[in-house]
Amino acid sequence: MKKKIKIISICLMTLFIVGSLNMTAAAIDGREIMERVDNRDTGDSRHALMGMDLIDANGDVRPRVLEVWSQKVDFEKDLNHNIIIFHEPSSIKNTRFLQKENDGEDDDQWIYLPDLGRVRRISGGQGGDSFMGSDFTYDDLKSREIDDFEYKLLKEEEYNDYETYVVEAIPKNPAEEQYAKTISWITKEHYIPVKIEMYDKDSKELYKEMKIKSDIEKIDGIWTVFSTVMENLDSGHKTNLYVKKRDNNYLLEYNVEINDKRFSQQFLKTGR
């Protein structure tokens, strides 16, 4: 069984969610750190109401509201089904996105666009396209096989008051990945990536950067980050993704009962 790693995709599926792990710093390497990131407690299911602000280089903001449902469907292989429903603004209301993780192959992704009235499958050639005008691509949302990368612990340093490991990941087959490499700052206490740099495949220059913008707190015993920003350094465009609050409480819950039909093609098209 191949092991999945979901660094960026978890950002959208209720951001970075990891379990607290006890581990000494002795003799740790880049691969082991990334395995510890992957070996997290995400609960059996997750549900959140989220905001997504698209911010251009001039600081103008286009706000969106979306709801995320995620459920583990294979505990041994750590496979999840995820669906995203856009509620606001009215121009994209009822747009729905479904992702099903697969073992040993690419995740399946579909999107329902109300204006077209049909479900469209996201092909491999569209992986680098923007997801709903954001700075996330469809490939950013996918899980990855941990064995498909070479990992190197570059250094250990403090970042935003967190002691972190800085780990470089280089794809073994560059043609199959959208980035030449990524560099992640991962907390020693929680094994949460708090910053990720993504390098362009052609120029090899730093292209995009993702940073958490909230404290790390526990909900239902699970370490959680509530806000993160993805920035395209070429265009200056940013996407701020965050869990919404009501009465000062985060609208995020774990281990909720979710009907399997929510992750079906029928629900994707009809919303029921």
Side-chain angles (χ1 to χ4, degrees):
M1 179 184 71
K2 291 187 177 181
K3 193 168 182 60
K4 289 279 189 180
I5 190 161
K6 306 157 197 172
I7 298 297
I8 297 177
S9 64
I10 292 167
C11 174
L12 196 53
M13 306 309 166
T14 69
L15 307 178
F16 296 112
I17 307 163
V18 298
S20 179
L21 299 164
N22 294 319
M23 181 175 174
T24 64
I28 192 169
D29 60 21
R31 163 85 185 212
E32 189 171 6
I33 293 166
M34 300 310 263
E35 288 178 345
R36 296 286 174 165
V37 172
D38 193 54
N39 290 334
R40 62 194 174 274
D41 175 18
T42 61
D44 295 346
S45 62
R46 299 150 296 278
H47 173 224
L49 187 68
M50 306 186 72
M52 176 188 279
D53 292 343
L54 309 183
I55 309 167
D56 67 21
N58 296 320
D60 295 328
V61 179
R62 289 186 293 152
R64 296 179 169 184
V65 177
L66 56 141
E67 194 169 6
V68 180
W69 302 81
S70 180
Q71 181 163 271
K72 197 176 294 293
V73 295
D74 190 317
F75 287 84
E76 181 182 355
K77 298 177 181 177
D78 191 24
L79 301 178
N80 294 269
H81 289 172
N82 310 294
I83 192 158
I84 300 171
I85 305 167
F86 284 85
H87 295 307
E88 298 177 18
S90 58
S91 59
I92 59 170
K93 184 177 180 179
N94 292 327
T95 297
R96 293 181 281 271
F97 173 77
L98 174 64
Q99 177 167 302
K100 294 187 175 184
E101 295 176 359
N102 296 311
D103 183 37
E105 55 188 66
D106 276 352
D107 301 342
D108 292 318
Q109 295 178 325
W110 301 268
I111 192 165
Y112 171 74
L113 302 171
D115 287 349
L116 299 179
R118 64 181 179 86
V119 172
R120 178 167 62 87
R121 186 184 182 93
I122 305 301
S123 67
Q126 297 171 300
D129 293 352
S130 167
F131 173 68
M132 296 297 293
S134 75
D135 295 285
F136 295 91
T137 67
Y138 288 103
D139 274 353
D140 284 335
L141 309 186
K142 288 183 177 180
S143 59
R144 294 289 192 273
E145 305 293 348
I146 199 168
D147 289 336
D148 289 345
F149 297 82
E150 297 284 355
Y151 303 98
K152 181 180 181 182
L153 175 57
L154 300 180
K155 57 185 175 179
E156 302 175 25
E157 69 177 18
E158 184 175 307
Y159 174 78
N160 278 359
D161 296 327
Y162 293 109
E163 291 297 324
T164 68
Y165 298 110
V166 183
V167 179
E168 177 185 72
I170 297 178
K172 295 178 181 178
N173 189 343
E176 295 182 357
E177 298 296 330
Q178 66 172 324
Y179 304 120
K181 66 178 180 181
T182 61
I183 299 178
S184 302
W185 280 251
I186 297 168
T187 63
K188 293 182 179 182
E189 180 181 359
H190 323 90
Y191 290 89
I192 293 178
V194 290
K195 176 184 175 182
I196 304 176
E197 293 181 344
M198 287 143 272
Y199 288 77
D200 183 75
K201 181 184 289 188
D202 296 324
S203 70
K204 306 299 189 292
E205 298 294 324
L206 180 59
Y207 169 50
K208 292 199 301 187
E209 191 172 72
M210 189 165 66
K211 299 178 180 178
I212 71 164
K213 304 298 287 185
S214 69
D215 292 333
I216 300 170
E217 302 177 22
K218 275 187 176 180
I219 287 187
D220 298 332
I222 297 174
W223 287 112
T224 305
V225 169
F226 303 96
S227 178
T228 189
V229 172
M230 177 79 90
E231 180 177 5
N232 184 314
L233 300 178
D234 287 344
S235 67
H237 193 279
K238 301 177 184 178
T239 300
N240 182 23
L241 185 68
Y242 54 96
V243 180
K244 295 185 75 68
K245 299 175 79 172
R246 181 181 297 142
D247 298 328
N248 209 35
N249 294 315
Y250 287 106
L251 299 179
L252 165 65
E253 53 186 348
Y254 295 102
N255 298 318
V256 292
E257 186 174 346
I258 306 174
N259 192 317
D260 291 342
K261 292 181 180 179
R262 185 174 292 274
F263 305 101
S264 67
Q265 295 278 339
Q266 176 70 15
F267 182 88
L268 188 62
K269 186 172 184 177
T270 66
R272 60 182 185 273

